[in-house]
Structures are given as C-alpha cells and as structure tokens.
Amino acid sequence: AASPLERLWRPVFGLAWPTALAGLLLGVLNVFEYLYQQPWGVTTEMSLWAGWIARGLGLPAEGLLYYGGRPAGYELLRHPAWQSGGTFLDIGIVGGSFLAALLANEFKLRAPRVPVRYAQAMVGGLLMGYGARLGQGCNIGAFFSAIPALGVNSWVFALGLAVGSYAAAQVIRRLA
C-alpha cells in the first residue's frame, strides 16, 4: 500500500494536471502578479539583462534606441539585475519548471541528432526574441496577460500564434 506522501506525490508530480485546473492556477497567479506589480511578462526582463550585460562589458547600452528612447528602460538599467523583481520571476519560471520536471522524472538531457537542428534552434530563438520585442511582449505578456485585460491585440496575437505555429510545424515536418 502506498504511503500518504506517495498518494499525494503521484497526482501532483507523476500525472498530467487537468487543463482547467492548470489554467485556473495560472490565472490566479496572473491576477496576483498584476495586483502586486504589473501584468505578467518575461521578455522585458531579458532585454534588460542584455542591457545590463552590455553595460558590464563597457558598451554604452543607454545609447541604444530600446533603452535610450525609453526613460523607464534607462532608469532600470541604472539598478543591478539582482534588485529586479522580474529577474526573480524569470528565475522562478525556469527553476520551477526544472524542479517540476525533475520531480516528475520527466527531465532528460538530449542533443539533436541532425546538426542542422542547432542552426534552426538558433535562428528560431533569435526570430522569437526579436518578434517579442517588436510586438512589445512575449506569449505571456501579449497573450496571457492581455486576454484578461480584454486587449484586442491579444486576440490578433493568438491568431498569429496559431497560424505561425502551424506553418512552422509544416516546415519542420518537410525538413525532417
């Protein structure tokens, strides 16, 4: 017979959560994030990290259009990265996902067998990052946080996300 701890462990970490429950919990977390600080987002903090790293290397990040043209961005560059709440949120997302995968025995390091996959991943990541900044947010900020705010842009983003994902899947299938 399973111990009480094992009976609790399996539904939380061993099985997939019901979609509605996971969505509800993410929605509640989004509301708390909005009330605490601002709508949930990820890529702005990553852009600020790029600025902090550039400044650390002695490059004039403040002169870049993204930072120099935005007083708030310039102001944020003046503070250390570890004093930013968004940094801890991003670390929590990655760390929590990693911990959940470990606890569910779902974590496995894998390397692509076909070398072209490295180039595809690099180009895809660069395009996604550029698109996120161009669109003023990632899938979390432009979709997950904007839909509850009834932003029309979120529905346009959702349509573009669906069409783009489908098209990319078709291209990858044909390349394989």
Side-chain angles (χ1 to χ4, degrees), residues 78-105:
R78 297 174 68 198
H79 302 291
W82 56 87
Q83 291 181 359
S84 168
T87 290
F88 292 107
L89 183 63
D90 287 359
I91 290 170
I93 289 170
V94 173
S97 300
F98 175 70
L99 182 61
L102 280 178
L103 293 173
N105 290 327

Side-chain angles (χ1 to χ4, degrees), residues 34-139:
Y34 181 77
L35 293 174
Y36 171 71
Q37 187 173 6
Q38 62 192 15
W40 197 1
V42 174
T43 58
T44 297
E45 203 65 32
M46 292 181 186
S47 297
L48 292 172
W49 266 95
W52 286 318
I53 291 170
R55 283 188 66 214
L57 295 173
L59 300 172
E62 296 85 359
L64 295 174
L65 182 61
Y66 178 76
Y67 305 111
R70 299 171 147 226
Y74 173 75
E75 187 63 32
L76 285 170
L77 276 178
R78 297 174 68 198
H79 302 291
W82 56 87
Q83 291 181 359
S84 168
T87 290
F88 292 107
L89 183 63
D90 287 359
I91 290 170
I93 289 170
V94 173
S97 300
F98 175 70
L99 182 61
L102 280 178
L103 293 173
N105 290 327
E106 292 287 330
F107 179 78
K108 181 179 178 185
L109 288 176
R110 295 179 296 199
R113 294 187 186 120
V114 182
V116 73
R117 295 286 189 235
Y118 291 102
Q120 289 172 339
M122 182 67 76
V123 170
L126 289 170
L127 288 173
M128 285 174 38
Y130 181 73
R133 288 296 78 215
L134 194 62
Q136 298 294 308
C138 63
N139 58 336

